[in-house]
Amino acid sequence: MTSPLQRPAYETEVLIIGTGPAGGTLALALAKAGIRVVVVNRYGWTCRTPRAHITNPRTMEIFHDLGVIYDVNLYAMPGALMGENVMCQSLAGEEFGRLRTWGNEPGRKCNYAYGTPETNVDLPQTYLENILLGAAAHKGAEVLFHTEFLRFDQDEDGVTSLLHNRLTGEKSAIRSKYLVGADGARSAIAAQLGLPFKGEMDKSGATNIVFTADLTKYVEHRPSSLYWMFQPGDGPGGIVSAALRTVRPWNKWLGTTFYDINNPPDIDEAEARRLMHLLIGDDSIDVQIESVSLWAFNESWATRFQDGRVFCAGDAVHRHPPLKGLGSNTSVQDSYNLAWKLAYVLRGMATPSVLDSYSQERVPVAEEFVPAAFGAMKYHEKVVGALNPTLSADPAISTASFNVLKGDDTATAERRRQLQQAVADTYRTFDCPGIELNQRYRSCAVAAPEGEAPPAFTQDPEIYYQPTSFPGARLPHAWLFRDGRKISSLYVCGGGEFTLLTGNSGAGWRTIAKAVSEELGVPIRVITIGLGQDYQDLYGDYARISEVEESGALLVRPDVYIGWRTGSLGETAQADLNAALSAILGRGGPASGSGAKGDDAAQPSGKFDEMERSHFP
């Protein structure tokens, strides 16, 4: 009998393991580009619990480009309902602090508006996965449920993956040009690749309890995505911390409590209901428990995201707490970065060497985001310290320490000030337009001037967005006008193509771009911004943020990052554009890197061994 590894049952261009935010985004982006793609999920449907929920403006920009922004806004809780972040003993009990979050505080709202046309929204993963996967299927992606990935074997021409149908028990092989593991924090693909990781897994434990309860009377006047509870007890610092998260206003919720990772609790339905009543502070509320799950706080990331023809994305390569709302957003952005590169290689417009830029660009993001998200816990720890400076685990002491703050003794005035400051400082766990929008790439897919570096940050780069058109940065946002309507500069680019932006006196770029496009066989959209042109710069925003002269040009990659720029239209413009685009696409020299054939072929990472790996999404 022929082994299924010798005779694959099916062939495709890209096989994606996992239908979460990373897998769904990649499937949709590739399907829109006309790439044959198969995506598999070991379960019978998409995720059944809310999981990730904060969707930041950069991700919203991507959803706009992928054509799903309408559905996202239809099912999301808008930013205006997300921001009254409450700190209290219980919903029905005393509130001791509040802050405006997710772009609702006026100063930070201004910084967001300066950098992006979008706002934060709250979209539970249960909705997001269905939107992405449904749109991908409509564009031609093939979706296999009840299908478990077992292992892969790659060679210089492709990857053979062994799959297991969990309904029939049948095993079969599928052949693909490329394989992408978007299979979560226990990634079987990352494990088989032997990707190197930094950091630690399972550093602390948390419990998610999903339930329904009408809490309108406690929250409608202070709408928020998150409500934080700090109650005297035997927790760290003498305070038991927990959170209630809005899933659907105001009757579906997710409660999070914390536990010792070495001593996981056994929580049945009755105990789950008791815990949620403690957080609500009113046991007369009808609470219907839907699910209970345990999870861990991790601080771990891969230092390489790929090997040969096999790539990993999302939680498979960066694992961290939900603070700062970076989890699913970073996963979506990984896939958006990888998708256009795979598409260009598969359509013959780029050499496989461009795929090396995926790790070069996205690993530094993980290196920054993971410690930032895990480190943000210290701001909530400062609230605990302000509530109970003794840090005694005796509930009587922590209760007394909390109650004394409500008195009129001038001796406790400083403690009250410290509590107010501690609450205010927690904004760094929510509002970070800088870390969301300031990502700057240095890679083989960026044609930056030799010997030049991007401008230095003049303010805290985690908090403040600071635009630049230096190659490797995301195209800055500027409002443009056409037929009397506003549109962001971001939205005249993308769509799977390179875009060349120029001004009135850059008319010569149209002929130049056409010649380069024909020579390289790569479409280049040319947009002229100025009076009487394709788009008008009525506010003068684009002239300020472009950082080039009117005759200069910005070459914007399909992921709306700047690949190259030139200050003015010079005599060598055509040769310069040709050289820059060739370099970005890996056509400026011999092909090398992931999936190249012949002497430059990526080496296979080994034959299947006999032992099957377990797959935990």
Side-chain angles (χ1 to χ4, degrees):
M1 181 178 293
T2 303
S3 165
L5 297 183
Q6 297 170 331
R7 182 176 295 174
Y10 192 77
E11 292 188 2
T12 190
E13 290 181 293
V14 179
L15 173 63
I16 302 168
I17 309 301
T19 59
T25 299
L26 186 61
L28 174 56
L30 289 173
K32 281 177 65 68
I35 302 302
R36 288 183 293 116
V37 59
V38 174
V39 55
V40 305
N41 183 340
R42 74 193 300 260
Y43 298 106
W45 193 237
T46 54
C47 71
R48 291 177 170 83
T49 56
R51 300 186 191 178
H53 61 122
I54 298 299
T55 305
N56 69 34
R58 175 59 190 145
T59 299
M60 293 292 282
E61 294 166 8
I62 292 170
F63 290 157
H64 186 285
D65 188 46
L66 294 179
V68 293
I69 192 70
Y70 174 82
D71 286 336
V72 168
N73 280 321
L74 181 65
Y75 289 99
M77 186 167 76
L81 295 181
M82 295 169 61
E84 293 291 319
N85 213 287
V86 171
M87 295 193 178
C88 55
Q89 286 190 279
S90 68
L91 282 187
E94 291 185 275
E95 178 181 344
F96 61 82
R98 194 186 303 191
L99 68 159
R100 291 160 290 193
T101 59
W102 307 122
N104 283 283
E105 193 277 329
R108 289 182 286 279
K109 187 174 186 176
C110 174
N111 197 233
Y112 272 116
Y114 180 49
T116 175
E118 301 295 342
T119 61
N120 288 285
V121 301
D122 188 308
L123 182 66
Q125 191 170 330
T126 40
Y127 293 91
L128 175 59
E129 288 193 12
N130 292 347
I131 290 169
L132 294 173
L133 202 61
H138 277 287
K139 292 295 181 182
E142 298 179 74
V143 184
L144 304 179
F145 288 105
H146 298 292
T147 303
E148 182 176 12
F149 167 84
L150 297 179
R151 56 189 186 264
F152 71 83
D153 184 19
Q154 69 167 313
D155 52 54
E156 65 179 20
D157 296 316
V159 186
T160 302
S161 298
L162 184 63
L163 306 178
H164 172 225
N165 186 311
R166 301 180 75 201
L167 293 178
T168 66
E170 183 179 352
K171 293 181 180 178
S172 60
I174 186 168
R175 181 73 171 169
S176 59
K177 294 289 186 182
Y178 295 97
L179 171 66
V180 181
D183 50 340
R186 308 289 175 180
S187 171
I189 294 177
Q192 186 181 336
L193 277 179
L195 294 182
F197 278 82
K198 286 186 176 180
E200 297 179 55
M201 294 283 284
D202 302 327
K203 296 184 74 170
S204 59
T207 303
N208 277 358
I209 299 173
V210 180
F211 66 98
T212 57
D214 184 359
L215 303 180
T216 303
K217 67 179 180 180
Y218 293 123
V219 299
E220 190 176 36
H221 61 291
R222 47 183 181 178
S224 183
S225 283
L226 291 163
Y227 299 83
W228 298 90
M229 286 74 190
F230 296 85
Q231 300 175 350
D234 58 0
I239 301 290
V240 176
S241 303
L244 282 177
R245 173 189 139 194
T246 306
V247 178
R248 296 282 89 180
W250 304 110
N251 53 27
K252 188 164 184 177
W253 301 87
L254 187 151
T256 298
T257 60
F258 304 98
Y259 67 89
D260 179 355
I261 193 70
N262 297 310
N263 187 26
D266 183 11
I267 301 177
D268 59 16
E269 184 174 335
E271 175 62 6
R273 186 175 292 108
R274 184 190 72 82
L275 289 171
M276 296 305 97
H277 274 144
L278 282 176
L279 301 188
I280 298 167
D282 181 353
D283 60 11
S284 70
I285 296 291
D286 180 25
V287 169
Q288 296 297 318
I289 304 297
E290 290 191 2
S291 66
V292 178
S293 57
L294 305 184
W295 55 286
F297 275 46
N298 303 311
E299 187 181 15
S300 176
W301 67 95
T303 58
R304 188 178 74 248
F305 286 7
Q306 61 197 95
D307 183 3
R309 292 179 174 270
V310 184
F311 302 81
C312 286
D315 288 356
V317 282
H318 41 77
R319 303 145 186 188
H320 52 83
L323 296 174
K324 295 184 181 288
L326 297 173
S328 64
N329 292 288
T330 311
S331 301
V332 167
Q333 292 160 32
D334 283 347
S335 292
Y336 189 62
N337 179 285
L338 177 60
W340 75 267
K341 298 168 184 177
L342 284 171
Y344 271 63
V345 170
L346 288 165
R347 288 155 60 187
M349 293 189 291
T351 70
S353 65
V354 74
L355 299 174
D356 294 338
S357 69
Y358 173 59
S359 281
Q360 293 167 4
E361 294 180 352
R362 297 305 296 173
V363 168
V365 173
E367 289 176 338
E368 178 186 9
F369 282 20
V370 174
F374 194 88
M377 290 192 295
K378 66 177 177 284
Y379 296 106
H380 291 270
E381 293 168 358
K382 288 181 179 179
V383 174
V384 170
L387 289 171
N388 182 30
T390 69
L391 300 181
S392 170
D394 184 339
I397 294 176
S398 55
T399 298
S401 181
F402 183 93
N403 287 338
V404 75
L405 291 171
K406 296 180 284 186
D408 56 7
D409 188 343
T410 57
T412 56
E414 175 58 20
R415 276 193 57 205
R416 285 188 288 271
R417 189 201 65 78
Q418 291 173 355
L419 176 60
Q420 286 181 331
Q421 188 61 52
V423 170
D425 285 347
T426 62
Y427 85 89
R428 295 186 71 108
T429 69
F430 310 106
D431 279 303
C432 298
I435 202 171
E436 295 165 12
L437 302 174
N438 278 334
Q439 300 165 32
R440 298 176 181 178
Y441 298 151
R442 295 185 182 186
S443 76
C444 61
V446 173
E450 189 173 352
E452 288 188 34
F457 292 108
T458 58
Q459 295 175 290
D460 185 336
E462 184 173 295
I463 302 302
Y464 296 99
Y465 168 59
Q466 296 161 76
T468 179
S469 71
F470 191 87
R474 163 184 160 276
L475 175 69
H477 157 62
W479 285 116
L480 306 176
F481 291 82
R482 183 169 182 170
D483 300 328
R485 297 189 177 188
K486 282 198 304 185
I487 184 172
S488 172
S489 54
L490 301 166
Y491 296 159
V492 305
C493 302
E497 292 186 349
F498 281 86
T499 305
L500 193 71
L501 301 178
T502 188
N504 285 61
S505 55
W509 284 111
R510 290 193 180 275
T511 301
I512 290 169
K514 185 174 185 294
V516 172
S517 177
E518 290 175 350
E519 181 176 348
L520 297 181
V522 177
I524 304 173
R525 179 196 298 120
V526 180
I527 299 292
T528 306
I529 299 171
L531 291 175
Q533 302 302 314
D534 299 318
Y535 293 91
Q536 297 202 71
D537 183 23
L538 298 180
Y539 291 139
D541 289 347
Y542 180 78
R544 285 189 290 271
I545 59 91
S546 67
E547 299 178 334
V548 297
E549 296 178 16
E550 188 184 75
S551 70
L554 305 180
L555 180 64
V556 183
R557 304 188 325 186
D559 59 352
V560 199
Y561 271 70
I562 297 167
W564 171 79
R565 74 177 180 182
T566 183
S568 61
L569 179 60
E571 293 182 358
T572 61
Q574 183 169 325
D576 293 342
L577 176 60
N578 191 313
L581 185 55
S582 296
I584 291 168
L585 297 176
R587 295 167 61 173
S592 64
S594 306
K597 295 184 178 182
D599 293 338
D600 295 313
Q603 295 302 308
S605 60
K607 299 293 183 182
F608 287 133
D609 55 26
E610 294 300 318
M611 183 178 295
E612 296 181 4
R613 299 181 185 273
S614 297
H615 173 199
F616 300 96

